[in-house]
Amino acid sequence: MASSQELSDFLRNIERRAFKQTVYAVRDEHVALDIVQDAMLKISEKYADKPVEEYPMLFQRILQNTMRDYWRRQKVRNLWTSLFSSFSSGDDEDERDPLETIDVEDASKDPMAQLERGQTMQLIERALEKLPTRQREAFILRYWEDMDVAETASIMGCSEGSVKTHCSRAVHTLAVVLQKQGLGMKAITQLGVES
Amino acid sequence: MTDNTNQTNTESMEVDAKLLAKVLDMRANRLSMRTLKQLEDARMRAVRLHEQKTAGIVNTGTGTLGRLFYWAEHHRTFVTGMILTILVASLIVIQLNSYKVDTDAMLLGSELPPEAFVDRGFEPSLNQRVNFDEPEQVTSIKV
């Protein structure tokens, strides 16, 4: 059984990636935060007796299921909001919080370099967001979460062959999209990433 | 030859994918202070819940009562519905009882025996008697 400290360390280790992964899927930071929080509470509530080694797979499965629940609810909600959309005035958008724009860990001091780097990263993120859901899931689990093909297949509920196909298509699509934007792998390496 | 080409392609794809994953990692490390704070709060809440679960303070599901509370917490709609049904049923029973008490009091306080009210022929007979009791108008005097 995992101790509370082990759970805390595990969550601290994955929380940022889990949040970004959810943002790529739902494209809304507030909703992504809610989903990640739900997943954290579910793993601590329902799987408190599991060893910490099982947490990465369990957490990913919970996260994927929570996202699916959100999409199901959203489908029903969209039906109603589309019916009443003509009554909304569109004045209820949130004001932008200055805290949202502060970058925490960016040691680079050259503003131009920061800007270019930020733009390149945004392009990559947008390309990832545009991938079909299954391809994005497979890519993130396999390469970002560093899971093997069998684990990814188990989380996604499909065969290992499907995972390989999804991953291959995802990488191919990303490469094509980035090439079109004038971003080859060389440009990505120049971001300061070591392959 | 073809196998070698395929293998090289796969390896190059893996390298590209890992490179992109590292960019995503960099991006994940540039979250806003507010987001980081909210994630930390969520984590603390989860850890606190885990502590409670492992210490068996709240709803551990180990004892009978604990299991009952745990079940109730996860079936809120059903439990709320059950409580409401019990409340409505209790209200109906109380209303019926008070009606019975009133009827009993009326029957006991009456001058007539309770059987009289049960008898179907009693009321018409009572009405007839009432008509009898009324003084008849004398239309002609017989000598």
Side-chain angles (χ1 to χ4, degrees):
Chain A
M1 189 170 79
S3 68
S4 296
Q5 186 57 48
E6 281 172 330
L7 176 73
S8 176
D9 292 343
F10 165 74
L11 292 177
R12 187 181 294 119
N13 193 30
I14 53 103
E15 64 190 11
R16 293 177 187 208
R17 288 200 309 276
F19 171 71
K20 288 303 281 185
Q21 179 186 344
T22 316
V23 171
Y24 298 142
V26 299
R27 299 178 196 186
D28 183 324
E29 292 202 352
H30 298 289
V31 175
L33 265 171
D34 285 346
I35 289 173
V36 172
Q37 180 174 307
D38 273 3
M40 284 179 174
L41 289 173
K42 275 179 195 165
I43 199 168
S44 60
E45 187 187 15
K46 291 182 181 168
Y47 300 99
D49 55 338
K50 296 280 179 191
V52 74
E53 295 78 36
E54 288 184 25
Y55 275 180
M57 263 189 78
L58 277 172
F59 185 80
Q60 278 303 325
R61 203 173 291 172
I62 293 170
L63 194 65
Q64 302 293 336
N65 287 339
T66 318
M67 276 190 240
R68 267 177 215 127
D69 286 346
Y70 163 76
W71 279 316
R72 270 188 218 118
R73 281 198 305 271
Q74 198 65 14
K75 209 174 168 184
V76 178
R77 204 172 293 159
N78 281 345
L79 185 76
W80 289 102
T81 44
S82 62
L83 285 173
F84 295 103
S85 57
S86 53
F87 297 110
S88 68
S89 60
D91 296 335
D92 53 350
E93 284 189 10
D94 289 344
E95 284 179 18
R96 197 161 174 81
D97 191 321
L99 274 177
E100 294 289 350
T101 55
I102 295 176
D103 279 338
V104 184
E105 289 173 22
D106 194 350
S108 159
K109 286 179 182 171
D110 179 11
M112 278 306 288
Q114 270 185 33
L115 184 69
E116 273 177 30
R117 181 185 288 195
Q119 283 173 341
T120 311
M121 285 180 178
Q122 266 184 1
L123 282 174
I124 295 169
E125 282 187 318
R126 267 183 219 148
L128 192 70
E129 278 176 4
K130 281 179 187 166
L131 283 180
T133 311
R134 297 293 275 174
Q135 285 184 24
R136 190 180 48 243
E137 271 178 27
F139 177 85
I140 286 176
L141 292 171
R142 180 84 181 84
Y143 299 114
W144 202 14
E145 291 300 325
D146 219 13
M147 290 181 168
D148 60 34
V149 178
E151 286 172 334
T152 311
S154 164
I155 291 169
M156 289 179 66
C158 62
S159 68
E160 294 185 15
S162 299
V163 170
K164 285 178 189 168
T165 312
H166 285 316
C167 284
S168 163
R169 284 183 186 161
V171 177
H172 178 71
T173 313
L174 283 173
V176 170
V177 171
L178 294 175
Q179 283 285 353
K180 275 185 188 168
Q181 302 281 345
L183 275 175
M185 286 300 158
K186 267 188 181 177
I188 293 167
T189 319
Q190 281 167 3
L191 289 172
V193 183
E194 287 171 13
S195 56
Chain B
M1 183 72 180
T2 321
D3 280 353
N4 282 344
T5 321
N6 280 345
Q7 199 178 342
T8 318
N9 280 344
T10 314
E11 278 172 11
S12 132
M13 187 192 86
E14 295 261 327
V15 170
D16 290 353
K18 289 276 176 198
L19 201 64
L20 287 170
K22 283 191 176 162
V23 175
L24 296 180
D25 243 353
M26 282 169 71
R27 195 70 177 156
N29 285 329
R30 290 162 56 112
L31 295 179
S32 70
M33 288 295 285
R34 167 177 275 212
T35 309
L36 288 175
K37 181 81 183 70
Q38 282 169 326
L39 284 172
E40 192 189 345
D41 288 347
R43 181 181 3 114
M44 297 303 284
R45 218 169 296 151
V47 171
R48 227 172 293 134
L49 186 64
H50 184 269
E51 277 168 2
Q52 287 174 348
K53 292 285 287 184
T54 48
I57 298 168
V58 178
N59 303 340
T60 52
T62 47
T64 315
L65 266 178
R67 274 187 196 152
L68 188 71
F69 283 129
Y70 185 76
W71 182 86
E73 203 180 290
H74 288 79
H75 297 82
R76 279 183 201 145
T77 323
F78 179 72
V79 171
T80 316
M82 252 178 59
I83 291 170
L84 280 174
T85 313
I86 290 168
L87 272 174
V88 170
S90 314
L91 274 172
I92 290 170
V93 168
I94 289 167
Q95 284 289 327
L96 282 175
N97 274 341
S98 70
Y99 175 73
K100 272 184 190 168
V101 168
D102 288 348
T103 316
D104 287 350
M106 197 262 289
L107 288 173
L108 290 171
S110 167
E111 287 176 0
L112 293 165
E115 291 81 16
F117 292 95
V118 182
D119 186 359
R120 286 189 179 177
F122 176 70
E123 204 176 332
S125 153
L126 189 71
N127 288 338
Q128 273 181 4
R129 277 190 193 197
V130 169
N131 291 338
F132 254 139
D133 290 345
E134 282 174 9
E136 283 185 32
Q137 283 185 344
V138 181
T139 49
S140 60
I141 301 165
K142 288 179 182 176
V143 181

